[in-house]
Amino acid sequence: MPPKIYYAIFLLQKPMEEKIHEIRPDCIFSDMYFPWTVDIAEEMKIPRIQSSYTYNSVLHNLKMYKPQEEELKLESNSQSGFLVLWLPDKIEFKLSQLTDDLRKAADDDKISFDS
């Protein structure tokens, strides 16, 4: 992850902690990029659930169903996007947002997260 994103997450910590104290949730649901949520959950004596479900679901979908292939076949520099299907919410990508291994030709089935 680029350093600017880590810095942005760092800048969010204080306002997020204040908001969490304000709304007094019964549980905190966060991922590995917000490690400070462990401390605030402990302080407030509430559970913290760590998850990377969305990331893993999208990655699995791109690998298994290859919704990007149709856009790849067009071989255009189009800024139009494609939808990642079969998820609970609308997630749209542009080819330029994908890593090189996911932008390879359709006949190349092995991608970097294959073992």
Side-chain angles (χ1 to χ4, degrees):
M1 186 178 305
K4 287 183 180 181
I5 299 214
Y6 282 119
Y7 183 64
I9 290 171
F10 169 76
L11 291 176
L12 283 174
Q13 181 174 345
K14 183 86 169 135
M16 288 297 295
E17 285 178 344
E18 290 170 359
K19 191 63 166 176
I20 290 169
H21 279 291
E22 178 187 322
I23 63 174
R24 307 204 44 78
D26 295 323
C27 178
I28 296 175
F29 189 86
S30 66
D31 67 16
M32 65 185 177
Y33 298 110
F34 299 95
W36 50 267
T37 57
V38 172
D39 298 328
I40 197 167
E42 188 174 291
E43 174 189 324
M44 296 179 74
K45 300 187 180 343
I46 59 174
R48 174 195 178 250
I49 300 170
Q50 179 182 351
S51 175
S52 56
Y53 172 78
T54 302
Y55 167 78
N56 288 325
S57 296
V58 170
L59 192 59
H60 174 76
N61 189 296
L62 291 170
K63 178 182 174 185
M64 187 82 168
Y65 303 111
K66 301 175 181 158
Q68 68 274 27
E69 283 188 358
E70 200 59 45
E71 196 71 20
L72 284 166
K73 288 177 188 174
L74 297 175
E75 294 186 59
S76 67
N77 290 331
S78 162
Q79 287 300 313
S80 66
F82 63 91
L83 288 175
V84 181
L85 304 174
W86 303 293
L87 295 174
D89 205 352
K90 179 182 172 184
I91 297 179
E92 187 174 348
F93 282 101
K94 295 177 182 167
L95 287 178
S96 62
Q97 294 175 298
L98 299 179
T99 55
D100 289 339
D101 56 323
L102 291 171
R103 283 186 268 157
K104 287 185 179 180
D107 57 0
D108 185 5
D109 286 335
K110 184 142 178 93
I111 50 183
S112 69
F113 42 83
D114 282 340
S115 304

